[in-house]
Amino acid sequence: MSLNRKENIAGWGNYPVAASYLVHVRNNQDVLDSLQQGNLVPRGLGRSYGDQAINDSQFVGDCTKLNRFLGWDPEASVLECEAGASLEEIISTFAPRGWLPMICPGTKFVTIGGAIANDIHGKAHHIDGSFVNCVLSFTILVADGRVLTASREENADLFWANFGGLGLLGVILTARIKLRKIESCYFKQRSIKIKNLDHMLEALEQYDHEYNYSVAWIDALAKGDKMGSGVLTLGNAAKLEDLPAKLKADPLKTHKLSKLSVPFFLPSFTLNNLTVKVLNRVIAFVQNSPKEFIHYEKFFFPLDAINNWNRGYGKRGFIQYQFVIPEENGRANLAEILQMIAQSGCTPFLNVFKRMGDGQGVLSFPFKGYTLAIDFPVTKQLFEFTPKLDAKVLAAGGRLYLGKDACLEASMFRSMYPQVGDWLNVKRKYDPQNKFNSNIGRRLELEA
């Protein structure tokens, strides 16, 4: 295989950008040919925000063509598919039959391989946990050319290290995943207007035991006695008997692909503190919905309604900064963090707050505590601010989500993930020559 022309490739945040050789993976040999000439990182639909699936002057393996369904067991609700299959493809096929994925993040445009690499989570983490909990096994092409099966019983070290492993241990080829049986594609929801941070934490404590799904939008620019204000949305899957007659007529209705799109990168000055304040009021109004029943599309994937919405941040791009901190002293630490963000001048936007349950895995992000995800447009000022925020998160006993990170330094990463040594032992065992690598792999020194 000869080298193709380099392409500028970025994650969903359009920052950073790397000139890489893009390989369209159709079979195992495409991967092996690339590994003979350099190193490679597998890539799905490119919804990781930062430098997880880019690789300066090396290979990026586009695995989206490996998207076939290989087997289906309706009695056990178990699907076997290639790792390039997306949640969107699974939902489109199986929702009309009465099944949805067990774990849904904020977009349906993620592949199964990407879901494993980032150990994705959703609005029900405090109940369902992260993506590892629905994966029974997977096959993976490792550096020496072998295709291994990994599960909790077979090659267990390889299984656990891949959840949150950022694609740095091999190319996942197929997976067996469990789906959730449903009676309808609707959720019974409740929206609560939140006055401040104390009210937010009290509401989560009160309602998390009643609702499987919970997520809050926070106004990160609010200060004083309004700090932490926003809207908390709660929900449970609607049973057929719950639905009004109009929805009961077609309870397993699926989504249509959106025709709305941001056609070009908006000017960088579009998002500023003034426009964000206006947009925050609009978001608060939309989130505080009086509707009792809502379709999964709007419940799980509201941003999927606009294609290429990431262009709204301009060509400079943006980062999504997501952290989790323990519940212990959570109120005081969250107050300090929110104050830092509000005073940073970095224009925080689309701020999502959740409560998480117990975590597992080696480099998996979640643990029991509070998580906040914030979008920041890229500016020089931002890169002066994020190290200060990193230090505060670490001091609070927290860590950042590697599946979205673009700026974390290696030393800070090791402090946030003290179990990295266990992961590196697996890396040395299966990829001692670092045949699978990426920009984030080098930045965080995730090399054998």
Side-chain angles (χ1 to χ4, degrees):
M1 185 183 75
S2 60
L3 289 179
N4 297 318
R5 181 174 57 86
K6 287 182 182 178
E7 297 184 28
N8 287 328
I9 302 174
W12 189 245
N14 291 310
Y15 175 87
V17 178
S20 312
Y21 296 106
L22 187 65
V23 177
H24 294 282
V25 177
R26 299 155 298 178
N27 50 51
N28 296 4
Q29 194 60 47
D30 288 335
V31 176
L32 297 175
D33 288 346
S34 299
L35 296 182
Q36 289 180 354
Q37 301 183 63
N39 60 65
L40 176 140
V41 63
R43 180 182 174 99
L45 288 167
R47 291 301 178 109
S48 295
Y49 281 77
D51 54 357
Q52 293 77 13
I54 61 176
N55 200 8
D56 271 321
S57 298
Q58 292 289 333
F59 293 95
V60 173
D62 182 337
C63 299
T64 55
K65 298 299 182 184
L66 300 177
N67 65 342
R68 295 175 300 170
F69 297 152
L70 304 174
W72 169 239
D73 182 348
E75 295 299 321
S77 301
V78 172
L79 169 68
E80 182 177 6
C81 62
E82 291 183 317
S86 69
L87 293 187
E88 194 279 327
E89 292 166 328
I90 292 172
I91 292 169
S92 295
T93 302
F94 288 93
R97 306 181 188 183
W99 282 272
L100 282 175
M102 286 187 64
I103 311 294
C104 290
T107 175
K108 60 185 175 293
F109 298 113
V110 294
T111 63
I112 295 303
I116 292 172
N118 294 294
D119 196 18
I120 60 171
H121 56 273
K123 296 180 179 181
H125 187 269
H126 62 293
I127 301 294
D128 292 332
S130 54
F131 200 71
V132 64
N133 285 347
C134 73
V135 178
L136 303 178
S137 65
F138 57 81
T139 61
I140 182 170
L141 176 65
V142 294
D144 63 7
R146 291 179 295 163
V147 175
L148 302 177
T149 298
S151 68
R152 292 166 178 80
E153 297 78 31
E154 186 177 1
N155 297 310
D157 58 345
L158 189 59
F159 178 84
W160 289 108
N162 268 282
F163 289 92
L166 304 169
L168 297 174
L169 295 171
V171 175
I172 296 174
L173 301 173
T174 68
R176 294 177 64 247
I177 63 172
K178 193 170 179 64
L179 303 186
R180 188 190 305 279
K181 191 79 175 80
I182 58 170
E183 294 184 21
S184 84
C185 285
Y186 292 89
F187 289 80
K188 193 172 184 179
Q189 72 164 6
R190 178 180 179 182
S191 298
I192 301 171
K193 191 172 182 180
I194 299 297
K195 302 173 185 176
N196 52 39
L197 183 58
D198 288 330
H199 187 201
M200 177 70 75
L201 300 186
E202 290 168 4
L204 285 172
E205 180 65 30
Q206 177 180 353
Y207 293 110
D208 266 5
H209 305 289
E210 299 178 33
Y211 293 90
N212 289 347
Y213 300 89
S214 63
V215 66
W217 164 82
I218 279 186
D219 182 356
L221 293 178
K223 300 177 183 178
D225 60 2
K226 293 185 178 181
M227 182 176 64
S229 60
V231 178
L232 173 62
T233 302
L234 307 159
N236 284 322
K239 296 181 179 179
L240 186 60
E241 63 186 25
D242 298 330
L243 297 178
K246 183 178 180 180
L247 299 182
K248 196 178 290 186
D250 188 10
L252 297 175
K253 177 183 178 182
T254 54
H255 63 278
K256 295 180 180 179
L257 290 180
S258 174
K259 295 181 180 180
L260 295 176
S261 181
V262 179
F264 51 80
F265 289 100
L266 297 183
S268 297
F269 60 78
T270 304
L271 281 182
N272 53 57
N273 278 2
L274 178 61
T275 58
V276 165
K277 285 180 180 179
V278 174
L279 289 169
N280 279 342
R281 291 186 180 183
V282 174
I283 292 172
F285 176 80
V286 173
Q287 291 293 318
N288 194 21
S289 172
K291 286 188 176 181
E292 184 179 10
F293 295 96
I294 187 169
H295 192 253
Y296 71 75
E297 180 72 0
K298 291 184 178 179
F299 188 76
F300 285 136
F301 316 120
L303 289 176
D304 284 352
I306 304 176
N307 296 314
N308 301 313
W309 62 261
N310 56 337
R311 293 175 178 171
Y313 289 91
K315 288 186 177 180
R316 62 186 178 183
F318 69 103
I319 68 168
Q320 185 167 108
Y321 188 100
Q322 183 172 1
F323 65 86
V324 60
I325 60 172
E327 291 185 9
E328 184 180 2
N329 298 322
R331 194 273 174 209
N333 288 319
L334 284 169
E336 290 184 29
I337 290 171
L338 287 172
Q339 186 175 30
M340 288 177 66
I341 293 171
Q343 296 175 347
S344 68
C346 292
T347 318
F349 189 52
L350 291 178
N351 315 291
V352 177
F353 183 71
K354 291 181 285 193
R355 194 181 191 189
M356 309 199 90
D358 293 327
Q360 51 190 326
V362 187
L363 289 185
S364 184
F365 163 70
F367 62 70
K368 190 173 183 180
Y370 301 111
T371 182
L372 178 64
I374 320 108
D375 286 1
F376 289 110
V378 168
T379 62
K380 180 181 179 181
Q381 188 177 9
L382 176 64
F383 300 122
E384 296 172 353
F385 172 62
T386 54
K388 300 174 185 176
L389 197 53
D390 297 343
K392 177 56 192 172
V393 169
L394 178 61
R399 62 190 180 205
L400 303 193
Y401 188 14
L402 301 182
K404 296 179 178 178
D405 172 62
C407 304
L408 191 64
E409 294 182 356
S411 59
M412 185 69 72
F413 157 68
R414 289 173 182 269
S415 297
M416 290 179 173
Y417 286 82
Q419 65 273 49
V420 65
D422 296 333
W423 188 89
L424 288 171
N425 287 336
V426 180
K427 177 74 168 174
R428 296 184 188 104
K429 177 179 177 181
Y430 293 99
D431 186 18
Q433 296 180 319
N434 298 307
K435 286 293 186 179
F436 295 99
N437 214 334
S438 65
N439 279 32
I440 196 173
R442 288 182 287 273
R443 173 165 59 85
L444 298 183
E445 299 177 359
L446 288 169
E447 299 172 301

